[in-house]
Amino acid sequence: MEQTPFSFQMWDLVVGDPAFVRTAPESSSEIPGCQTRINSLKYILSKKQKTPLSARGHWSTWPAFASGQTVLKNHKPCCAPEERQSSNKQALLTVPKPRYLEQLESYLRKELQSLDLTKKNSQELKLQPYREIFEFFIDNFKTYKPLLSAIKNEYEVTLAHQKKTICALEPLKAMVTTVSEECTRQILALQEKEKDKINMLKEEKQRLLKFIDNMKEEKNSLQTQVEHLQTSVAEEYARYLNEYSARKLLLAKLNDMHNEQLDMTRHQVQDIKGEDVVKLTLALKVARQDLTKAQVKLNTMIADYEDVVPRRDFESLEKKYSDLLQEMKTLQKDFDQLHKEYETLLEIHRETAEERDNFCTELQRVQRNYTPRPNWPKCSEVIPGGADRWGCLAEGKSSGQLVDVLLEEIGTGVLKEINVFPGWGKGDKVPVYLRHEGEVKNKKLTKKDVVSILKDVWKEKIALEQQTGKRSSLPEFFLSYLQKKYGDAAAMEWSYTLYENMRLCRSNPVLSSFYNILTGKVGEQQYHGQNQLISNLQKELAACDSSNSGSLSSKQFSLALREAFPLKRKESIQELVDASRYKLDSTEDLIDYISLFKEDEEGNTEPFVAKLRSQYVREKQEYLKQLKSKLGDVIEVKADDLKGAFCTIDPDIDDQTLDTYIGLAYQVQREQPGQEVVPVETALERLLAGDVRRVGPSPREGSTAGFEGE
């Protein structure tokens, strides 16, 4: 009997089972919501039971590998035996697909098409129809129900376990991502932190490698010189040894000849009586021949050794020559240094002569145009406080400064009589802190009150900038400060009153500096730069005061000034020392450096701080004057040319400071500012308004300092 394929046998066993037709399915699937679909599927199968059976009493069979549409495209049918013939396959392919299978596939397709696969749990929704059909088969196939139920349960348990594992791993995945980002951020921060140190170590390594190479080259050169000198010494030694041996031989021969002559003379004296004339004649002839030979040999030796010097004389001459050569080199080096210093002094003399001529010309011009000096003590009669207050105000001030003081006193007196100020309007050209229509009430503040308010403005502004890390505009902050402290209604009254007091009191350092920065005449960086200089000087003076007594000797004070300001000239240092001793007698030597930085209630500083600020302005003007001289007669200047001029007059300037100065001159921050062109005068005015100062000594000052040190 021919062997039936596995798919045929399986279908007969499953479909031919009477329990499949007669027995209704048991309880529905444990999955919620599937009872309705199972009932629908049961109804379809109950209708299928009414279809006619085959001649054998079973449902019509259909091979598993027959042609037709399948739903499970990844499912592999049971393979038929290799012995199956092709004729049997062709016969089975002609068998039509059972309607029962078509109805199941149709139901499955309809369920799958009705699903919304765009949802997040689309795979679980897609799995649900397959579960329902599989549950139906388990309930109806009584013979295989235990095995199929075990398989299904094992799959369900495994899926539940995997789902639980995935849910448990979801927070870990987020945590791993967070930890990974944090580690990456820390690694980048560490790399950025150690970047400068690594670059510095690399540069140090390159420098040391270069130094090692230079040392190796120097070692090879010295080794070559040593070998050459050893060869020369060996040759000289061999030559002198030969001469020494030849000299000893010559002396021995001379001694032998002298001894022979003595013996001959002695024998001649003894035998002169017994010898005949012929024999004596022959002896004389032989003696003359020997004398001639000796004379020839002596002349030859004298000719050969005429240029030879004794070793003692040679060594003495060689030592003397070495000493003279070293002395000559020293003198040549001193001569070169003196020549260089002479040229430097000549250049200084030329510049000094030019300055002298300019000063003479300026003196002559001033002498032609000068006016008689006013009788300033008369001002004490009209100044409140009398002669005592005028003496305090006029102490140490020039005529121009006294005029400012007098105008300030007159202006403040008039200001106290004014009750209201006219408003400036609300135009765009009006400063933001003065934009007001109508009259503004005068608060009639004293100078002490104005100074206190302005110091508080600086304090609040610096604290805000340190907190936020951003620079704010002084006019806008000034207005916001007044609005916050006094309210929007009274802010303009305080603003106008403070502005008029600052405008009139130009001799007061606190009011004048705040007014210049507020009106844009001077950059805010200059205010902070001067305060930083004063703070650094205070720290240096405190460091030199080992006993914390608050006092230093004049020598210690001068040394501290040199440490704090290494670029200042001796004249400037002496000016500061003199300003610090204006209250001391000539016999006193201790300087109370703490009192030099004190201010009175009206913000007036001691002459020492005033001199320090004036030197700051004067040194900046000289620095920019050298810059202008280096630029020449050009009208406009590019950023690259300005950089070159800065590097020429200040070789020690660093890149960051140079970029800051260029940005200040061009009022822009760009990657390629070399294309920007501004007038020279505009650039110099912007630099004069900012915090611009020399970084290192100028080339001329450096050479002069070196000459003085020697």
Side-chain angles (χ1 to χ4, degrees):
M1 183 175 179
E2 185 180 356
Q3 185 179 1
T4 306
F6 171 76
S7 58
F8 274 50
Q9 296 174 0
M10 180 62 69
W11 188 256
D12 289 342
L13 289 172
V14 174
V15 182
D17 191 354
F20 175 77
V21 180
R22 296 191 303 270
T23 308
E26 296 179 357
S27 61
S28 62
S29 173
E30 296 177 359
I31 302 175
C34 67
Q35 183 64 38
T36 304
R37 296 183 180 179
I38 292 176
N39 293 335
S40 176
L41 188 59
K42 287 180 179 180
Y43 173 74
I44 294 172
L45 294 177
S46 64
K47 290 179 66 179
K48 177 63 179 177
Q49 291 177 0
K50 298 178 182 181
T51 57
L53 300 177
S54 63
R56 298 173 56 189
H58 302 284
W59 284 349
S60 58
T61 60
W62 187 71
F65 52 82
S67 62
Q69 184 180 4
T70 59
V71 178
L72 303 176
K73 296 182 179 180
N74 295 330
H75 177 70
K76 294 183 179 180
C78 297
C79 297
E82 295 181 357
E83 296 84 0
R84 182 179 302 169
Q85 299 178 358
S86 60
S87 60
N88 294 335
K89 291 184 179 180
Q90 294 297 332
L92 293 173
L93 289 175
T94 58
V95 179
K97 184 186 295 186
R99 286 194 301 168
Y100 171 68
L101 178 58
E102 291 180 352
Q103 290 175 357
L104 290 179
E105 291 178 350
S106 175
Y107 174 78
L108 183 58
R109 281 196 301 273
K110 186 169 77 172
E111 291 295 325
L112 292 175
Q113 291 175 359
S114 64
L115 296 177
D116 186 6
L117 299 180
T118 60
K119 295 183 178 179
K120 185 176 181 181
N121 59 343
S122 60
Q123 186 61 34
E124 295 181 2
L125 296 175
K126 187 177 178 182
L127 183 62
Q128 187 61 32
Y130 291 97
R131 282 177 173 171
E132 295 172 3
I133 293 177
F134 192 60
E135 182 70 23
F136 177 77
F137 273 101
I138 291 173
D139 292 339
N140 287 276
F141 295 165
K142 302 297 182 180
T143 305
Y144 304 100
K145 182 175 182 179
L147 178 59
L148 296 177
S149 297
I151 294 172
K152 174 183 175 298
N153 292 335
E154 190 63 30
Y155 271 104
E156 291 295 338
V157 170
T158 303
L159 288 175
H161 175 70
Q162 295 297 332
K163 186 175 181 180
K164 183 178 180 181
T165 303
I166 291 172
C167 293
L169 291 177
E170 282 296 329
L172 293 179
K173 180 180 178 182
M175 184 178 68
V176 168
T177 304
T178 305
V179 171
S180 177
E181 293 177 355
E182 183 64 24
C183 291
T184 304
R185 192 181 305 108
Q186 291 180 1
I187 290 172
L188 293 177
L190 289 175
Q191 289 178 351
E192 186 67 23
K193 182 178 180 181
E194 298 296 333
K195 184 177 180 181
D196 295 337
K197 186 175 182 181
I198 291 173
N199 292 334
M200 183 179 67
L201 291 175
K202 287 182 178 179
E203 293 177 358
E204 182 68 16
K205 174 187 173 184
Q206 294 296 330
R207 187 183 66 79
L208 292 175
L209 289 175
K210 186 176 180 181
F211 179 74
I212 290 172
D213 294 337
N214 294 335
M215 294 297 294
K216 287 182 179 179
E217 292 179 0
E218 185 177 358
K219 176 184 176 182
N220 295 332
S221 176
L222 293 175
Q223 186 66 28
T224 304
Q225 294 180 9
V226 168
E227 293 176 355
H228 178 70
L229 292 175
Q230 287 178 348
T231 305
S232 301
V233 169
E235 292 177 356
E236 290 295 325
Y237 179 75
R239 188 168 64 85
Y240 290 141
L241 186 61
N242 294 334
E243 291 179 358
Y244 176 72
S245 301
R247 180 179 297 179
K248 289 180 68 177
L249 292 174
L250 179 60
L251 291 175
K253 289 182 179 180
L254 289 175
N255 291 331
D256 293 340
M257 291 177 64
H258 181 66
N259 293 330
E260 290 178 358
Q261 289 179 358
L262 290 177
D263 293 339
M264 289 176 63
T265 304
R266 186 169 53 253
H267 289 302
Q268 287 177 0
V269 171
Q270 292 176 359
D271 301 336
I272 190 169
K273 295 180 179 181
E275 295 179 353
D276 54 2
V277 178
V278 176
K279 189 175 180 180
L280 290 174
T281 303
L282 291 174
L284 179 60
K285 186 177 180 180
V286 172
R288 287 178 177 176
Q289 291 177 355
D290 294 337
L291 179 61
T292 303
K293 292 179 181 180
Q295 189 67 36
V296 171
K297 185 180 291 187
L298 180 61
N299 293 335
T300 303
M301 293 181 68
I302 291 173
D304 291 340
Y305 292 95
E306 183 179 6
D307 298 332
V308 176
V309 224
R311 186 178 184 84
R312 186 187 306 108
D313 297 342
F314 173 77
E315 291 177 351
S316 176
L317 291 173
E318 187 177 23
K319 183 178 180 181
K320 186 177 181 180
Y321 169 75
S322 300
D323 296 339
L324 291 175
L325 183 63
Q326 185 66 27
E327 185 178 357
M328 186 196 72
K329 290 181 179 179
T330 304
L331 293 175
Q332 183 66 31
K333 184 178 180 181
D334 295 342
F335 172 77
D336 295 339
Q337 183 67 25
L338 289 173
H339 182 69
K340 184 177 180 181
E341 293 169 359
Y342 168 75
E343 292 180 350
T344 304
L345 292 174
L346 193 63
E347 180 67 19
I348 295 174
H349 173 72
R350 185 183 63 78
E351 294 180 359
T352 306
E354 291 179 359
E355 292 180 0
R356 181 200 61 192
D357 296 339
N358 294 334
F359 287 146
C360 290
T361 304
E362 184 70 17
L363 178 61
Q364 293 175 0
R365 185 183 65 80
V366 171
Q367 287 177 350
R368 289 195 301 268
N369 300 330
Y370 81 98
T371 56
R373 182 176 177 84
N375 188 8
W376 294 111
K378 287 185 178 181
C379 298
S380 62
E381 300 175 1
V382 296
I383 294 297
D388 294 337
R389 187 166 182 270
W390 175 253
C392 295
L393 294 175
E395 183 179 4
K397 290 183 174 59
S398 62
S399 297
Q401 293 173 340
L402 289 175
V403 172
D404 293 338
V405 172
L406 185 60
L407 293 176
E408 179 181 333
E409 292 294 324
I410 297 174
T412 52
V414 175
L415 187 63
K416 292 179 180 179
E417 300 176 358
I418 298 175
N419 294 323
V420 293
F421 300 110
W424 286 31
K426 295 185 177 181
D428 295 337
K429 295 184 179 180
V430 178
V432 65
Y433 52 87
L434 297 176
R435 292 178 183 176
H436 184 76
E437 296 286 353
E439 295 182 346
V440 181
K441 182 181 178 181
N442 183 9
K443 290 292 184 179
K444 296 183 180 182
L445 302 175
T446 63
K447 189 182 295 185
K448 174 183 176 182
D449 297 333
V450 175
V451 170
S452 176
I453 293 173
L454 296 183
K455 286 184 176 181
D456 192 55
V457 171
W458 279 124
K459 181 180 178 181
E460 293 292 333
K461 186 175 186 297
I462 294 173
L464 179 63
E465 291 176 352
Q466 291 178 351
Q467 182 179 0
T468 59
K470 297 180 181 179
R471 284 289 179 92
S472 58
S473 173
L474 182 60
E476 296 177 357
F477 181 83
F478 179 63
L479 178 60
S480 64
Y481 171 84
L482 296 178
Q483 291 174 345
K484 180 180 178 182
K485 187 171 183 179
Y486 304 107
D488 295 340
M492 282 298 165
E493 298 176 358
W494 287 92
S495 178
Y496 271 82
T497 304
L498 293 173
Y499 178 80
E500 291 298 329
N501 279 275
M502 289 187 291
R503 185 177 63 85
L504 293 174
C505 300
R506 306 301 299 275
S507 64
N508 188 282
V510 178
L511 274 65
S512 62
S513 64
F514 196 96
Y515 176 78
N516 291 332
I517 297 172
L518 188 66
T519 55
K521 295 180 181 180
V522 176
E524 187 177 342
Q525 300 86 355
Q526 179 170 319
Y527 172 78
H528 296 298
Q530 291 183 1
N531 289 343
Q532 186 64 35
L533 285 177
I534 295 174
S535 176
N536 293 339
L537 178 58
Q538 289 177 327
K539 293 178 181 178
E540 189 65 34
L541 293 173
C544 293
D545 185 11
S546 58
S547 60
N548 295 326
S549 60
S551 300
L552 292 174
S553 64
S554 298
K555 184 177 181 180
Q556 290 176 333
F557 189 79
S558 178
L559 292 176
L561 290 176
R562 290 184 180 277
E563 289 292 331
F565 308 115
L567 301 181
K568 284 187 179 293
R569 300 189 182 95
K570 290 184 177 180
E571 296 81 5
S572 300
I573 297 294
Q574 188 59 41
E575 288 178 359
L576 294 176
V577 174
D578 295 340
S580 66
R581 294 177 53 86
Y582 79 103
K583 289 184 179 180
L584 301 178
D585 297 334
S586 59
T587 57
E588 296 183 12
D589 189 52
L590 290 179
I591 299 174
D592 184 10
Y593 65 87
I594 296 179
S595 63
L596 299 178
F597 301 95
K598 292 182 179 179
E599 295 182 358
D600 58 12
E601 295 178 348
E602 295 183 352
N604 296 315
T605 59
E606 296 293 330
F608 177 79
V609 176
K611 177 61 69 175
L612 197 62
R613 295 182 186 274
S614 65
Q615 285 186 0
Y616 172 86
V617 176
R618 184 183 66 192
E619 290 168 357
K620 180 168 63 173
Q621 292 174 350
E622 292 177 356
Y623 186 48
L624 296 179
K625 183 179 179 181
Q626 293 181 7
L627 180 65
K628 183 179 180 181
S629 176
K630 187 62 182 178
L631 292 174
D633 299 332
V634 296
I635 301 176
E636 295 181 341
V637 60
K638 294 183 178 180
D640 293 337
D641 298 336
L642 190 59
K643 282 185 178 181
F646 268 117
C647 294
T648 302
I649 66 172
D650 195 359
D652 295 336
I653 190 170
D654 55 280
D655 294 338
Q656 183 178 359
T657 305
L658 183 60
D659 292 339
T660 302
Y661 290 174
I662 297 301
L664 184 63
Y666 288 85
Q667 298 293 325
V668 291
Q669 293 291 341
R670 296 185 180 179
E671 296 179 356
Q672 295 180 348
Q675 304 299 328
E676 295 291 337
V677 177
V678 297
V680 174
E681 295 298 331
T682 303
L684 292 177
E685 289 176 0
R686 292 172 179 175
L687 291 172
L688 184 62
D691 183 23
V692 178
R693 44 187 159 170
R694 181 177 293 279
V695 177
S698 63
R700 186 186 69 183
E701 291 178 354
S703 61
T704 306
F707 170 69
E708 292 175 355
E710 293 179 359

